[in-house]
Amino acid sequence: MARAATTSDVFNAIAEPQRREILVLLRAGERPVTELAEELGMTQPRASKHLRVLREVGLVRNRTAGKQRLYGLDARGLKPVHEWTGGFELFWNESFDRLDSYVQELKQTKQEG
């Protein structure tokens, strides 16, 4: 089965680590592309390309403020990711419960020995 285009699927868009880093930076608020590029150690055109992808899948919005274009996070676009990962919550909770039981057994054994 062919992979969905990066610009049409939020999962493919966030598969790129630098795009995830951009989203993390935008959690703190709007920023111009030049700041994002500098923070991530990349060129402005490369940062713009990543922002375009994130904007096209609905994770980033932009607005003009004077001569600058500011980019901000639109976390509503992460809803499909949240819903999908939420399906694994039971698995993780059970894993942590088993780990906690094991740690308690180790502590008990240590106290008895």
Side-chain angles (χ1 to χ4, degrees), residues 15-23 40-42 46 50 54:
E16 163 53 54
Q18 291 179 318
R19 290 190 197 118
R20 292 193 307 269
E21 290 179 40
I22 289 171
L23 296 176
L40 297 169
M42 66 175 68
R46 184 169 176 86
H50 286 306
L54 292 169

Side-chain angles (χ1 to χ4, degrees), residues 27-58:
R27 284 191 310 201
E30 293 180 324
R31 298 180 68 175
V33 66
T34 52
E35 262 185 45
L36 293 167
E38 185 178 318
E39 183 87 22
L40 297 169
M42 66 175 68
T43 64
Q44 184 272 327
R46 184 169 176 86
S48 292
K49 189 175 182 179
H50 286 306
L51 286 164
R52 179 184 54 78
V53 170
L54 292 169
R55 192 177 69 248
E56 288 179 5
V57 298

